[in-house]
Amino acid sequence: MASLKALKLRIGSVKSTQKITKAMKMVAAAKLRRAQDAAQSGRPYAERLTAVMETLASKVATSASGPLLLSGTGSDQKHLLVVATSERGLAGAFNTNIVRAARRLADELTAQGKTVHFHLAGKKGRVLKRFYPQDVTGDHDLSGVKKVAFTDAQGLAQDLIARYEAGEFDVAHLFYARFVSAIVQEPVGVQIIPVPLATARTAASSPTSADAVVAYEPDEEAMLAELLPRNVAVQLFRALQENAASEQGSRMNAMDNATRNAGDMINRLSIQYNRTRQAAITTELIEIIAGAEAV
């Protein structure tokens, strides 16, 4: 049985941990509101741009001289999985769920005979190096980023586009966590390179777009040269914003659970401490009474 001193030290240690987790919960709650507003404000623009690019991909005639970001390489043998995670831990299953979704697709593609590589955006995604040591070919450093800006996404987009044009991969998939609520964060995997064809979702949201006539001003090449790289950057920026909100929501829940668990542990240790103390007092009383009777 633990001594009274050891129990008292452990209770003090757990109380200190509880103060830390409670403070971290409050900090995450404060950051969550700003991150949530930023993520929700950027959704309409990103979703509309996605719909426009998907429609263009299904309408514009592709050719060997056309933009690769729109027409693709003509193959889907080499896949790049861009895994966006956080730089810090203590956020529950936030990072684990994103990595698990990426691994699931990687295993499916590998089973089909495809070549799979990973490009990481966020330190916590480096756990993939333990499972695919030879397949992690890129690591975008976001450690110095306190608040996600569009320039951060542009830097990552330029890196991906350069690798794509160099022929390092045929298809790029982006994995991140979509913010649903402070309790629910949904891991998402979407294709960002090349632009996918219009889906049923796009057609349903724009019922007249199928018959629309697309006119370019000043010309098709100049318009697509501007839109296509920007679309990649916008989708990456959206993922980073969604991740920022999801991370804070997941961390707030994780720290709330940790605070509650610490409280339960303090109660159990306090009961054990009181019982041990009472047992020691009872033993001393019995020894005193026994000694008195002996005299």
Side-chain angles (χ1 to χ4, degrees), residues 122-266:
K123 185 171 67 175
K124 290 303 176 179
R126 295 174 186 172
V127 67
L128 286 166
K129 293 182 179 181
R130 293 191 300 180
F131 304 102
Y132 310 94
Q134 306 299 325
D135 298 328
V136 178
T137 57
D139 191 346
H140 193 76
D141 186 15
L142 296 173
S143 57
V145 178
K146 294 184 178 180
K147 183 179 180 181
V148 177
F150 186 65
T151 53
D152 301 316
Q154 281 183 317
L156 178 56
Q158 291 171 0
D159 188 12
L160 294 177
I161 293 172
R163 295 181 59 183
Y164 178 65
E165 293 176 344
E168 295 186 20
F169 62 91
D170 299 318
V171 182
H173 306 268
L174 174 62
F175 288 87
Y176 63 96
R178 183 177 184 273
F179 179 82
V180 179
S181 68
I183 301 176
V184 181
Q185 299 84 35
E186 179 184 9
V188 176
V190 294
Q191 178 179 323
I192 57 172
I193 300 177
V195 176
L197 296 178
T199 60
R201 173 187 60 78
T202 305
S205 61
S206 303
T208 61
S209 63
D211 300 324
V213 176
V214 180
Y216 297 93
E217 180 67 31
D219 57 70
E220 177 179 325
E221 289 76 12
M223 183 65 71
L224 292 179
E226 174 67 24
L227 279 180
L228 290 170
R230 187 173 185 83
N231 174 63
V232 177
V234 166
Q235 303 312 319
L236 289 169
F237 184 45
R238 176 190 180 181
L240 295 178
Q241 284 186 317
E242 295 279 353
N243 265 8
S246 298
E247 177 187 357
Q248 299 304 330
S250 183
R251 178 171 291 114
M252 186 179 69
N253 287 325
M255 293 301 100
D256 181 54
N257 292 333
T259 301
R260 293 181 182 180
N261 291 338
D264 294 339
M265 182 175 292
I266 290 171

